[in-house]
Amino acid sequence: MQITDLIFNVASLFLMMIPGIILVKSGLSANGLGKGISNLVLYIAQPVLVFMAYLKEFDMSVLINSLWVLLFSVVAHTIFSVVAMNLFRKAEDEARRMLRFATIFSNAAFMGIPLIDAILGGEATIYASIYNIVFNLFLWSLGVRICTDGRDIDGDGECDGEEIRKKSGASIVKALIHPVTIAAVLGLIFFVTPLSSFITDGSNPVADLLMDGLTMLKNLVAPLSMIVIGMRLASINFKGFFSNIYLYVFLILRHIALPLVMVLIIRLISLTGLTLSAEVTATVVILASAPAASSATMFAEMYDCDAEYTSKLVATSTIISIVTMPLVYFISVL
């Protein structure tokens, strides 16, 4: 992949935010529209996109590469977690929680998967889904604890973290039954068995009809994801936000420092003589350098952790990533 291709595709995706901004600024966005579109993407279109990536002839190299991505995803989330959990100590409680959360978790699903599919497509979309399985496991374990541990919601002097988690139904099970995880597991079954040939068989009109329908759903992911991001950006007031020093620490970590750590690790592995495919490297680097997860705002709302401040973090991170994602990838291929 050429760096110019990445810049062009990133720019093209971000142009899709404009309709969302127009909808909000012109008053044409009905209440709940953004949430409805998000649900359509997350629970239907995106799982279809992931599932379709597996509809191909079995290739052992794809499984091996998937294991590499799985390993890199664990390493990335572990390093990001260790760094973030030891920073922002002097920030106010709710801000500290969400600064850590946004530093650890990138927008690997809502923005990352459609971006990888648009830029690389094919097997790289499989690798993006593998990366997101680890993302979800960390999200529903460490992410929930960041938002809940040490919280005294009722003011009785006792920590209510465990009670908050029980009320919200948070558990690792949520990560395992996430639509993307289910789609990846189902797709893997089709990939390693002859089942995929029944759907991709061009001589079967029923299979052709099914593939056409799935393809149309798959093609909704990129534009609708970016329209929703545009809607969220348009509704945020940034007045006074940029005077906070912690914002800049977060941006440097999320967009430059931590992604470059992953680039360094990949370089060190390649020096041992092991060969990593270009798709594996590109997928890991792009997803690791993606902006802060949009789920940060959802978690902030769910656990009363200053959703307005979190929305500004995510929005600023999203805008900055237009420049930083191509920059980090360019450094990775030097």
Side-chain angles (χ1 to χ4, degrees):
M1 178 179 62
Q2 299 294 323
I3 186 65
T4 52
D5 294 334
L6 176 59
I7 294 173
F8 178 83
N9 280 281
V10 169
S12 297
L13 275 179
F14 275 85
L15 281 176
M16 295 181 192
M17 294 193 302
I18 295 175
I21 296 172
I22 292 173
L23 280 172
V24 172
K25 293 299 185 181
S26 62
L28 296 174
S29 173
N31 289 336
L33 177 61
K35 184 176 182 180
I37 296 175
S38 295
N39 288 338
L40 172 61
V41 172
L42 290 172
Y43 294 102
I44 298 177
Q46 194 175 85
V48 168
L49 170 63
V50 169
F51 173 71
M52 290 191 71
Y54 288 85
L55 297 181
K56 57 179 64 188
E57 186 177 348
F58 176 75
D59 185 345
M60 181 57 72
S61 67
V62 173
L63 285 183
I64 294 173
N65 289 338
S66 295
L67 291 175
W68 274 114
V69 173
L70 183 69
L71 174 62
F72 284 131
S73 184
V74 172
V75 170
H77 285 93
T78 300
I79 292 174
F80 288 21
S81 299
V82 170
V83 172
M85 296 305 288
N86 285 282
L87 293 176
F88 309 112
R89 294 181 183 276
K90 294 184 179 180
E92 293 182 4
D93 181 66
E94 292 180 2
R96 180 177 65 254
R97 294 175 188 276
M98 300 321 297
L99 282 163
R100 288 173 172 172
F101 190 106
T103 299
I104 296 167
F105 299 106
S106 71
N107 208 346
F110 198 74
M111 179 179 167
I113 289 179
L115 181 60
I116 292 294
D117 186 65
I119 296 171
L120 300 170
E123 65 189 58
T125 307
I126 295 178
Y127 306 149
S129 72
I130 299 298
Y131 191 98
N132 272 278
I133 291 174
V134 177
F135 167 89
N136 282 307
L137 288 171
F138 272 78
L139 182 71
W140 288 102
S141 54
L142 178 61
V144 172
R145 290 195 171 273
I146 287 172
C147 295
T148 58
D149 275 4
R151 298 290 299 279
D152 180 13
I153 300 296
D154 53 19
D156 63 356
E158 296 182 5
C159 294
D160 304 319
E162 189 62 35
E163 182 180 349
I164 298 169
R165 288 192 286 274
K166 286 181 179 179
K167 285 184 178 179
S168 68
S171 69
I172 296 297
V173 175
K174 281 198 172 184
L176 297 176
I177 62 173
H178 189 278
V180 169
T181 304
I182 294 173
V185 172
L186 185 61
L188 183 61
I189 293 172
F190 275 69
F191 178 63
V192 300
T193 66
L195 288 173
S196 63
S197 61
F198 291 105
I199 297 181
T200 57
D201 183 8
S203 63
N204 187 333
V206 175
D208 286 345
L209 181 62
L210 179 60
M211 284 295 289
D212 286 346
L214 291 176
T215 300
M216 285 188 282
L217 282 173
K218 162 190 167 182
N219 291 339
L220 292 175
V221 176
L224 291 185
S225 296
M226 301 311 295
I227 285 172
V228 171
I229 291 174
M231 292 173 68
R232 290 172 178 166
L233 284 174
S235 59
I236 295 174
N237 181 1
F238 289 96
K239 185 177 181 180
F241 178 65
F242 297 102
S243 61
N244 189 334
I245 186 63
Y246 294 116
L247 168 66
Y248 301 99
V249 175
F250 153 70
L251 291 175
I252 291 171
L253 286 172
R254 171 72 265 161
H255 292 279
I256 302 295
L258 293 175
L260 287 180
V261 169
M262 290 309 300
V263 171
L264 178 60
I265 290 172
I266 291 172
R267 287 279 182 87
L268 290 175
I269 288 177
S270 66
L271 290 176
T272 66
L274 292 170
T275 302
L276 299 174
S277 77
E279 288 81 6
V280 168
T281 299
T283 299
V284 172
V285 170
I286 291 171
L287 295 183
S289 60
S294 56
S295 55
T297 303
M298 179 190 75
F299 271 59
E301 291 173 347
M302 187 186 305
Y303 298 113
D304 298 319
C305 289
D306 197 342
E308 182 179 353
Y309 176 76
T310 308
S311 296
K312 293 176 181 178
L313 282 179
V314 173
T316 305
S317 179
T318 301
I319 295 170
I320 292 293
S321 70
I322 301 174
V323 175
T324 57
M325 275 196 297
L327 175 62
V328 171
Y329 178 76
F330 174 72
I331 294 172
S332 74
V333 297
L334 285 177

